[in-house]
Amino acid sequence: GESVGLHLPTLSVQEGDNSIINCAYSNSASDYFIWYKQESGKGPQFIIDIRSNMDKRQGQRVTVLLNKTVKHLSLQIAATQPGDSAVYFCAENPYNQAGTALIFGKGTTLSVSS
Amino acid sequence: GAGVSQSPRYKVAKRGQDVALRCDPISGHVSLFWYQQALGQGPEFLTYFQNEAQLDKSGLPSDRFFAERPEGSVSTLKIQRTQQEDSAVYLCASSPRRQVGGYTFGSGTRLTVV
């Protein structure tokens, strides 16, 4: 079926390293993608989004890259901190329409050791 | 309020019991979503409201699930005759207008059916 998936369920890094979290999507018509961070016991928190007419978008310490050719999405976190430890989900809006459901991947657990 | 508030935070129900989960969205937010998140999985869409109108309920897993938002603000998700497979975190999210993604999630209600 059409879904968003992730390459690795877990990622462990040292404090100060750069982290890269990957996501593959299957719906080539998807036009809008979001990365969420979910800490234990909390709801998903918006990090950054990107539309399909862009290849790259930068935020504060985070960068999202979109490769439409291979249907791949990645989240780069610079100078990873212990507070970045969480589960990260990519999500897509396959219809690029307000009021339609996001499809979430299974998530990657990022563990940052100091 | 400052964020999306959900109550109760935890709910333990005996199999066959009815439960009601409440969501208080951010004041003035038009769009409201309910998602179900099983342990170790990404959130899955249940239903969507625009103001008081339920525009999409395609994700509700069975007719035991019912959601309402009668005055376009507070929403209630009701599950009748709960079963063990209903055990999950139920997340509510809202956004200020009909926008594509990027909405604010609550911390969820963790439902355990025993």
Side-chain angles (χ1 to χ4, degrees), chain A residues 29-106:
Chain A
S30 289
D31 192 48
Y32 178 72
F33 305 88
I34 311 171
W35 280 100
Y36 282 95
K37 172 186 180 183
Q38 187 173 25
E39 298 175 282
S40 180
K42 296 183 180 180
Q45 177 185 0
F46 174 87
I47 301 174
I48 192 168
D49 59 0
I50 189 168
R51 295 191 182 277
S52 62
N53 61 352
M54 303 173 69
D55 296 324
K56 179 180 179 179
R57 191 171 186 210
Q58 289 184 295
Q60 187 176 13
R61 281 201 307 119
V62 295
T63 300
V64 55
L65 299 177
L66 176 62
N67 185 330
K68 296 179 288 294
T69 302
V70 295
K71 292 184 287 187
H72 183 267
L73 192 69
S74 68
L75 176 70
Q76 300 179 357
I77 305 174
T80 314
Q81 302 169 359
D84 295 327
S85 295
V87 181
Y88 289 81
F89 293 97
C90 63
E92 65 176 319
N93 184 316
Y95 306 107
N96 191 26
Q97 293 177 8
T100 54
L102 293 178
I103 299 175
F104 284 79
K106 292 185 178 180

Side-chain angles (χ1 to χ4, degrees), chain B residues 5-69:
Chain B
S5 178
Q6 293 188 245
S7 60
R9 190 76 178 85
Y10 302 94
K11 176 69 178 178
V12 178
K14 292 184 178 179
R15 190 168 47 187
Q17 191 176 4
D18 297 349
V19 298
L21 312 180
R22 177 186 171 106
C23 173
D24 283 86
I26 296 173
S27 179
H29 276 199
V30 170
S31 297
L32 186 146
F33 294 81
W34 283 97
Y35 282 80
Q36 180 190 59
Q37 186 173 24
L39 187 64
Q41 303 295 315
E44 292 191 354
F45 169 78
L46 293 177
T47 187
Y48 163 67
F49 289 87
Q50 182 183 337
N51 296 307
E52 70 279 2
Q54 188 174 22
L55 299 186
D56 188 349
K57 54 182 180 180
S58 62
L60 295 176
S62 76
D63 59 7
R64 296 185 297 102
F65 287 70
F66 172 77
E68 60 183 4
R69 194 186 185 197

